[in-house]
Amino acid sequence: MSNYEIPEVWEWEPDEKSKTGNQPTAGSRFEQKLPVGDQPLQVYSLGTPNGVKVAIMLEEIKEAGVENAGYDLYKINIMKGDQFGSDFVNINPNSKIPAMMDHSEKEPIRVFESVSILLYLAEKFETFMPTSLAERTELMNWLFWQTGAAPFLGGGFGHFYNYAPTAQEYPINRYTMEAKRQLDLLDKRLADNAYINGDEYGIADMAIWPWYGRLVQGELYGEADKFLKADEYTNLKAWADKILERPAVKRALEVEYKEI
């Protein structure tokens, strides 16, 4: 039972964590000069699920032998507040990783939001995305599903199960129910499909695997896989293990993030 009472008007009370964490306003907090390497794609990221998506795509492009797709990968330490520096905010005004600059175009192009980066790279290099209207639309269905669903998994279930300072029954029950519903949805989808979008591996798999594949493999949120009875989702687990065997995925999980 909580003693918290909702105030008539919410007021922000800064604390030590808020110096490098979220505040109720957007924008840069300090001057920053991000490094720019020699490769056409400059990526500023971290090894979180959203960051891993882009690392996988970049490594899969390399594995496929695509030319002019080299990249430099720099570490944005979100615990230190690197994402609020002026250069990073100029690339992503939302101050979230990952973010990318494509210097191969006549005028450099900024790309932010992980799925936007996946789509950009797939379209630019014409790979890992179907071309027919029906298959492309199905791909978009699952990409947009992931962008809408993952916040309930990460910011909802993951936060209250693994990160919140105290265990709270109501939010844990609420978000566990939603997490299991999402896992069941994917398990059913993969019962008759080799990959998320059907028979072909593509960016929908790259977007979904770092969240849901890693979760059922026991790599997210402590022992959340046991808590969620992840072994029950046999189709999802088989798919997750199959993705993990891809050489590009293995490299993406081990890739070195350069210090800024």
Side-chain angles (χ1 to χ4, degrees):
M1 192 73 174
S2 173
N3 295 322
Y4 175 73
E5 294 184 7
I6 302 175
E8 184 176 352
V9 177
W10 183 80
E11 296 289 348
W12 179 50
E13 297 182 4
D15 57 21
E16 198 64 28
K17 290 183 179 179
S18 64
K19 292 180 180 180
T20 56
N22 285 334
Q23 296 181 7
T25 55
S28 65
R29 301 178 191 171
F30 59 90
E31 288 300 312
Q32 175 192 61
K33 185 66 175 177
L34 289 177
V36 178
D38 298 328
Q39 298 299 322
L41 302 173
Q42 298 296 298
V43 184
Y44 305 94
S45 189
L46 194 65
T48 66
N50 285 333
V52 168
K53 294 177 193 175
V54 174
I56 289 173
M57 180 58 167
L58 292 166
E59 287 297 325
E60 290 285 8
I61 290 173
K62 181 192 298 184
E63 186 78 11
V66 175
E67 296 182 356
N68 302 317
Y71 70 95
D72 290 303
L73 182 61
Y74 292 99
K75 179 181 179 180
I76 297 298
N77 190 327
I78 60 176
M79 301 306 292
K80 292 183 178 180
D82 291 345
Q83 69 274 31
F84 300 113
S86 57
D87 266 12
F88 188 84
V89 172
N90 283 337
I91 304 173
N92 184 359
N94 193 41
S95 294
K96 303 291 183 183
I97 62 96
M100 184 180 78
M101 289 295 297
D102 182 358
H103 290 276
S104 68
E105 300 295 326
K106 185 176 180 180
E107 292 292 332
I109 297 175
R110 74 174 186 180
V111 196
F112 62 90
E113 292 297 324
S114 57
V115 167
S116 180
I117 296 173
L118 294 184
L119 280 169
Y120 178 86
L121 293 171
E123 291 179 340
K124 179 182 176 74
F125 297 111
E126 299 181 342
T127 187
F128 296 112
M129 185 165 67
T131 56
S132 76
L133 178 62
E135 291 178 330
R136 182 183 173 88
T137 300
E138 185 66 9
L139 171 77
M140 293 296 183
N141 291 340
W142 288 104
L143 287 178
F144 280 98
W145 174 83
Q146 189 276 314
T147 60
F152 291 97
L153 183 68
F157 171 77
H159 174 77
F160 285 104
Y161 173 78
N162 195 59
Y163 298 119
T166 59
Q168 302 169 60
E169 183 178 7
Y170 175 78
I172 288 176
N173 284 344
R174 175 181 174 84
Y175 288 113
T176 297
M177 181 77 74
E178 175 61 13
K180 288 185 69 67
R181 189 193 69 81
Q182 292 178 10
L183 293 172
D184 186 61
L185 171 66
L186 291 172
D187 193 64
K188 286 181 167 64
R189 171 64 181 171
L190 291 162
D192 301 312
N193 294 279
Y195 297 100
I196 295 296
N197 207 54
D199 295 331
E200 298 292 330
Y201 172 75
I203 59 173
D205 301 283
M206 300 179 204
I208 292 170
W209 183 83
W211 284 102
Y212 298 90
R214 299 301 272 164
L215 179 64
V216 298
Q217 289 174 326
E219 298 296 336
L220 290 184
Y221 313 132
E223 295 186 339
D225 57 321
K226 296 178 182 178
F227 181 75
L228 294 168
K229 297 181 181 178
D231 286 340
E232 294 180 348
Y233 307 105
T234 55
N235 303 312
L236 179 57
K237 285 207 69 175
W239 166 83
D241 293 342
K242 178 170 59 178
I243 300 295
L244 183 59
E245 289 304 307
R246 298 182 66 87
V249 173
K250 291 181 178 179
R251 290 199 304 271
L253 293 175
E254 298 174 355
V255 68
E256 179 184 354
Y257 290 77
K258 303 175 185 177
E259 297 293 332
I260 63 172

